[in-house]
């Protein structure tokens, strides 16, 4: 997956988390699976950014 796809998934995860907050009744398993999905997506984003960094395809901005 590319970064754009991973970011879209991450955004959808956030949307689902907001829906769960509205009515958390009986969503324990869903919350656990959602947390796992979020961890996987974040790891994939980090891995993809690292690959791009190693290829010098990402410009890192230094904070001042």
């Amino acid at each position: 997956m590319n970064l754009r796809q991973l970011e879209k998934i991450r955004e959808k995860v956030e949307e689902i988390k907001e829906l769960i907050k509205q009515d958390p009744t009986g969503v324990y398993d869903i919350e656990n699976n959602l947390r796992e999905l979020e961890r996987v997506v974040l790891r994939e984003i980090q891995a993809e950014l690292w690959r791009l960094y190693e290829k010098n395809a990402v410009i890192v901005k230094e904070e001042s």
Side-chain angles (χ1 to χ4, degrees):
M1 290 192 145
N2 64 38
L3 279 176
R4 191 168 313 220
Q5 291 169 318
L6 291 167
E7 282 297 323
K8 283 185 179 179
I9 292 170
R10 191 181 64 75
E11 289 170 7
K12 295 297 180 187
V13 166
E14 292 302 318
E15 287 178 29
I16 294 168
K17 286 166 88 175
E18 288 301 315
L19 289 172
I20 288 172
K21 283 181 187 176
Q22 293 173 14
D23 184 15
T25 308
V27 294
Y28 180 76
D29 290 335
I30 294 171
E31 279 185 304
N32 287 339
N33 291 327
L34 191 60
R35 274 195 289 277
E36 181 58 28
L37 174 61
E38 186 174 32
R39 282 192 289 269
V40 169
V41 168
L42 290 174
R43 275 195 308 262
E44 287 296 318
I45 289 172
Q46 288 177 326
E48 184 61 26
L49 285 173
W50 183 251
R51 281 191 290 278
L52 291 171
Y53 176 77
E54 286 181 324
K55 290 181 181 179
N56 292 322
V58 172
I59 298 172
V60 178
K61 285 186 176 180
E62 298 215 10
E63 293 184 35
S64 53

